[in-house]
Amino acid sequence: MATVRRYFDLILFLVSLLLLGAGAIGWWSGAGRWEAVCWTVSTVLGVVVSVSWVVISLRKHQLGVDLIAVLALLGALAVGEPFAGAMITVMLASGRLLEASAARRAQRDLSLLVERAPRTARRVGPGGVVEIPVDEVRRGDHLVVGPGEVVPVDGHLLEAAVLDESSLTGESRPVDRIAGETVRSGSVNAGPPIGLIATSEAASSTYAQIVRLVEQANADSAPFVRTADRFAVYFVPFTLALAGGAWLVTGDAVRAVAVLVVATPCPLLLAAPIAIMSGLSRSARLGVIIKGGEALERLAAGRVLILDKTGTVTRGEPEVSEVVTDGVEVDPDDLLRWAARLDQVSPHVMAASIVKAARTRGLALDLPVAVAEKSGYGIQGTVDGHLLRLGKASWILDREEPDWMQTARRRAASTSSLTVFVSVDGRPGGVILLEDPIRPDARRMIQSLRSAGVTRTVLLTGDRADIAQSVGALVGVDFVRADCDPAAKVQQVVAEAANGPTIMVGDGVNDAPALATAAVGVALAAGGATASSETADVVITGNRIDLLADAIMIAQRSKAIALQSVTVGMGLSLVAMVVAALGYLPPAVGALAQEGIDVLAIMVALRAVTPGRSHTLTLPPQDLALTQRLFDEHASVLPVVEQIRVVADSLATNPESLVATRKLLQRLESELLPHEHAEEHDLYPMMDELMSGPNATAALSRTHAEIDVQVARLHRLLDEIIGDAPTLADVTELRGLLYGLYAILKLHNAQEEEGLFSLLPDEQKHDPNSVATVAP
């Protein structure tokens, strides 16, 4: 019985088509009244099922357009037009079949995630590897994941791994992860067996959260109210009035039946659901789960975008931006390696960032000894025979801060960076600066949304006003509100509703109230299950905020196609109704005409299945390796850029300043300029072709020329200095030139990261901000 219910739409369609075809054969062969019997049975079948649909609608207190189909079928029987009735039955059956198919298509892209959910895990214990139910996994368990297996819970990798994260991010390429990195449940091991330490239980893991989102999205999609019902209040009375009028004026009941036949609103029954469900399906493939057709329509209507800063516009976790030392006693790489080795055993969030930065640079990390942690101050231990302390300045220093450390502190304060002070054998060793970098795709997303119809953008943050204004200016928002707590965010969302339908984007628990208040709440769920993702209408399961622009474009296109298909279908149906009322369209011909209208409306709606306009540029496979290589070079020369400012800061009228400046020039000419020339020769022509225009990289190319000129000026200036030490005039000239070159390079690098290198899949590159080390 369950099987019959599951395939009822298909069975109904096949039976109605068989009866229609059998009747046609009987009519063609002249076999008595065989055709009338077949067509009448089909019509009666249509009456039975359509009456049941009307009853279901009435129970929901809805006046469905199925009522017109019932009247048309009964009218066809009454006036002796069984062929028209059989055609209506086929139309209704095919409509239900297509609608069910569209629903299954949308659910298939979502439910595929559920089907892949791991049921067991392999835990390493004293007796070896034991397979256990995934619900029995506990934090700290040592797990093994074999080739092709799904990672059961979130955890830290014990060795390098190659992972397929397509179910989480939508990115089809395998991703290389290094030991110590976090791996999310739902990833598939695409390489040899790997070990990991569980950091969550199954119920709170990333994949469990996605499964809950999918189930909610499916539940919300199932009772989708058909667009037809919105028109039923007006369309049903109009149809009955037109059919009744034709009958009363002419006394011809056949005309009334003909009006009812061509009024059977299959364009309404089919077109809108097909288009809307196709939109849900396409968004799910991107890694954006939209919780139902209503949420999709509200997303398409959004005009005011409200963004939380931390974790949304920025990455949401601190990353090492600089390592500053005295440049004499301690090498920056050594300091970072020592600090990372000590921080391997610390649970502090900044410790994980320091370890990640060291692993990114390929630094070997052995375990420290004699580790002790002082709560609220820092951690100490012995590394390579040195006693290291990491933490607050008041804990690691027993003397006045040196000038270079004070400079690092001021720099951190101006950029709202976090600082970790390091002492080596009781002496100041260095300062590690960590900042929450802006996502490189944030500004491009804002620009893309403006082209999609968003008229106002707002940035909300609990950060102080000067930092908030800087971030807002860099990403290009219209308004910034700082010092916001959750209540203030809700207040701002309510206020912005006066400017249009609001879209609120956030990622944390404190964003949940604002997400619930906005017309559409969008949650970034890459970091795991939070209250925000449970509250939101739209959830981005990957770590790319620019997917929101594509999701909005998909929603707008799906809604527009739904309206187009309804307009075309119902417009032609209304014309056919008038023609039928005038007596020029008998029921049998009208049934055929209506079938043609249905096919046309469905063809219009099916355009939603095909890809539409997208703001995203995708690197061709043949260009990916080149872009990756130049990005790696780009990251490797960032320390050279930071060295420019340090040398400029420390310039003085002494021989050491001249030596440091000449060493810097040597690095600029041997490391920086060859990289810039390689970009100019290899990368920019490829990007011009990809971006469809020779001027796409013209501004960046002009900056390359300026960098060449400034380095050549520095070379000439150093050649002109007489003696072993620069004069005060020389120092002034050198410092101005170096600061200018530094500013040009910082802006140029930011533009490249935002415009060119952001096209690389985020999972395939290391953040260049995490590898800069600086010594004066």
Side-chain angles (χ1 to χ4, degrees):
M1 196 66 182
T3 303
V4 173
R5 283 196 299 269
R6 181 180 179 184
Y7 294 103
F8 177 78
D9 295 322
L10 178 60
I11 294 171
L12 176 62
F13 173 72
L14 293 176
V15 171
S16 62
L17 192 63
L18 179 62
L19 289 171
L20 179 66
I25 293 173
W27 173 79
W28 181 264
S29 63
R33 296 189 52 80
W34 174 250
E35 73 275 10
V37 173
C38 292
W39 292 338
T40 300
V41 172
S42 179
T43 304
V44 172
L45 177 63
V47 170
V48 172
V49 294
S50 58
V51 166
S52 68
W53 296 335
V54 170
V55 171
I56 292 173
S57 297
L58 291 176
R59 285 179 179 175
K60 297 178 181 179
H61 305 289
Q62 298 171 354
L63 180 60
V65 290
D66 293 317
L67 177 61
I68 298 175
V70 173
L71 295 176
L73 289 164
L74 292 174
L77 290 175
V79 300
E81 291 281 355
F83 172 75
M87 284 294 299
I88 295 173
T89 302
V90 171
M91 282 191 291
L92 294 174
S94 61
R96 290 286 174 162
L97 184 63
L98 282 171
E99 186 175 0
S101 175
R104 285 194 299 271
R105 180 188 180 93
Q107 291 181 359
R108 182 173 63 247
D109 290 316
L110 296 172
S111 61
L112 181 61
L113 298 172
V114 180
E115 294 170 3
R116 294 174 62 254
R119 303 289 187 267
T120 62
R122 289 191 286 168
R123 182 169 59 193
V124 179
V129 178
V130 180
E131 187 169 296
I132 60 173
V134 71
D135 292 336
E136 294 183 9
V137 174
R138 297 294 179 263
R139 293 186 180 185
D141 283 352
H142 180 187
L143 305 178
V144 174
V145 182
E149 294 181 356
V150 178
V151 177
V153 296
D154 299 345
H156 291 310
L157 286 171
L158 296 177
E159 56 258 326
V162 180
L163 301 174
D164 174 4
E165 299 183 351
S166 57
S167 62
L168 303 176
T169 65
E171 175 56 52
S172 60
R173 300 181 184 92
V175 178
D176 293 318
R177 296 292 185 189
I178 61 176
E181 279 198 278
T182 298
V183 58
R184 293 185 290 164
S185 59
S187 303
V188 177
N189 182 14
I194 57 174
L196 61 91
I197 300 298
T199 57
S200 72
E201 298 179 358
S204 59
S205 67
T206 299
Y207 207 72
Q209 175 226 0
I210 293 177
V211 168
R212 288 195 296 272
L213 293 173
V214 168
E215 291 172 345
Q216 183 177 354
N218 280 334
D220 289 347
S221 296
F224 178 69
V225 179
R226 294 177 299 176
T227 306
D229 293 332
R230 302 177 186 176
F231 294 86
V233 175
Y234 306 102
F235 188 73
V236 172
F238 172 76
T239 301
L240 296 177
L242 184 60
W247 190 358
L248 290 174
V249 171
T250 65
D252 186 359
V254 175
R255 291 195 184 190
V257 172
V259 171
L260 294 174
V261 168
V262 295
T264 305
C266 284
L268 288 176
L269 297 173
L270 303 177
I274 288 174
I276 296 299
M277 291 176 186
S278 296
L280 297 176
S281 176
R282 289 200 60 78
S283 295
R285 293 178 198 170
L286 289 178
V288 181
I289 297 176
I290 302 176
K291 299 178 182 178
E294 184 180 355
L296 183 141
E297 293 190 24
R298 284 188 276 114
L299 183 64
R303 292 296 176 266
V304 179
L305 180 71
I306 306 168
L307 297 157
D308 175 59
K309 180 179 80 72
T310 304
T312 305
V313 172
T314 64
R315 292 192 180 276
E317 56 185 27
E319 296 180 355
V320 174
S321 58
E322 295 181 31
V323 179
V324 182
T325 72
D326 64 1
V328 178
E329 297 187 14
V330 181
D331 179 78
D333 275 354
D334 286 339
L335 187 80
L336 180 62
R337 179 169 54 86
W338 291 341
R341 287 178 61 181
L342 185 57
D343 265 338
Q344 285 182 108
V345 297
S346 173
H348 199 281
V349 63
M350 286 192 289
S353 300
I354 292 172
V355 172
K356 178 181 177 181
R359 291 190 182 279
T360 299
R361 290 184 64 85
L363 303 178
L365 301 182
D366 297 327
L367 289 175
V369 296
V371 178
E373 190 158 5
K374 187 174 182 180
S375 180
Y377 288 90
I379 188 172
Q380 72 176 25
T382 301
V383 176
D384 287 348
H386 298 286
L387 176 63
L388 250 69
R389 277 190 174 185
L390 276 69
K392 294 182 177 179
S394 60
W395 189 51
I396 71 154
L397 291 174
D398 56 3
R399 66 189 75 177
E400 185 178 353
E401 290 184 1
D403 290 344
W404 60 267
M405 190 170 283
Q406 292 179 9
T407 299
R409 187 190 286 275
R410 288 193 300 270
R411 190 176 302 161
S414 67
T415 59
S416 195
S417 297
L418 302 172
T419 52
V420 175
F421 293 85
V422 184
S423 70
V424 181
D425 296 325
R427 296 188 301 274
V431 184
I432 300 175
L433 274 60
L434 301 98
E435 63 181 23
D436 185 9
I438 296 173
R439 294 176 183 269
D441 55 350
R443 185 176 181 88
R444 188 172 67 248
M445 181 205 65
I446 296 291
Q447 295 170 341
S448 300
L449 289 174
R450 292 191 191 281
S451 66
V454 171
T455 57
R456 178 173 168 82
T457 53
V458 178
L459 181 68
L460 305 182
T461 178
D463 212 338
R464 68 178 195 256
D466 58 334
I467 298 299
Q469 291 292 344
S470 298
V471 174
L474 288 173
V475 299
V477 299
D478 298 316
F479 177 74
V480 177
R481 181 172 177 181
D483 301 314
C484 283
D485 58 16
K489 291 181 180 180
V490 171
Q491 184 184 59
Q492 189 66 39
V493 170
V494 172
E496 292 296 336
N499 298 315
T502 53
I503 302 173
M504 172 69 195
V505 187
D507 78 315
V509 173
N510 63 340
D511 297 324
L515 293 174
T517 303
V520 181
V522 180
L524 290 175
T530 65
S532 62
S533 57
E534 300 292 340
T535 305
D537 304 291
V538 178
V539 179
I540 301 175
T541 62
N543 199 31
R544 290 182 52 193
I545 189 175
D546 64 334
L547 292 175
L548 176 60
D550 278 340
I552 291 178
M553 291 178 185
I554 288 173
Q556 291 175 339
R557 183 170 182 261
S558 299
K559 184 178 179 181
I561 289 175
L563 292 175
Q564 290 167 12
S565 58
V566 168
T567 300
V568 170
M570 293 312 299
L572 293 174
S573 292
L574 289 172
V575 171
M577 289 165 62
V578 173
V579 174
L582 295 176
Y584 297 113
L585 197 63
V589 179
L592 292 173
Q594 183 61 43
E595 187 69 22
I597 293 172
D598 293 345
V599 171
L600 179 60
I602 291 169
M603 289 177 64
V604 174
L606 284 174
R607 290 188 298 123
V609 178
T610 61
R613 183 172 63 98
S614 172
H615 83 287
T616 303
L617 291 174
T618 303
L619 284 171
Q622 65 269 22
D623 297 333
L624 187 61
L626 171 63
T627 309
Q628 180 70 61
R629 176 175 63 80
L630 289 174
F631 175 80
D632 292 340
E633 290 181 8
H634 170 87
S636 70
V637 300
L638 289 182
V640 182
V641 176
E642 295 302 325
Q643 192 73 18
I644 297 172
R645 180 176 61 180
V646 176
V647 170
D649 288 343
S650 60
L651 274 173
T653 55
N654 56 51
E656 290 79 11
S657 290
L658 196 58
V659 171
T661 308
R662 293 190 187 280
K663 286 183 178 179
L664 172 63
L665 175 63
Q666 183 180 8
R667 294 193 69 185
L668 290 173
E669 292 179 333
S670 64
E671 298 178 40
L672 179 71
L673 290 185
H675 166 67
E676 304 295 343
H677 295 161
E679 287 183 333
E680 184 74 28
H681 183 268
D682 298 329
L683 182 63
Y684 286 12
M686 180 193 75
M687 289 299 173
D688 283 336
E689 183 177 352
L690 179 65
M691 298 176 181
S692 302
N695 296 320
T697 59
L700 293 174
S701 183
R702 172 64 178 83
T703 310
H704 274 169
E706 186 65 28
I707 293 169
D708 278 337
V709 169
Q710 294 301 319
V711 173
R713 283 186 58 197
L714 177 62
H715 195 133
R716 288 196 302 271
L717 185 57
L718 288 174
D719 286 345
E720 292 170 0
I721 293 177
I722 300 174
D724 296 331
T727 65
L728 183 59
D730 293 332
V731 168
T732 302
E733 184 72 15
L734 283 171
R735 182 173 288 140
L737 180 59
L738 290 174
Y739 282 146
L741 178 59
Y742 176 76
I744 292 171
L745 282 166
K746 288 291 285 186
L747 177 60
H748 178 67
N749 288 341
Q751 289 173 326
E752 285 189 331
E753 290 162 15
E754 178 183 304
L756 303 181
F757 295 125
S758 65
L759 299 182
L760 281 171
D762 190 59
E763 295 79 11
Q764 288 193 264
K765 63 184 181 182
H766 298 301
D767 189 334
N769 292 323
S770 68
V771 298
T773 54
V774 180

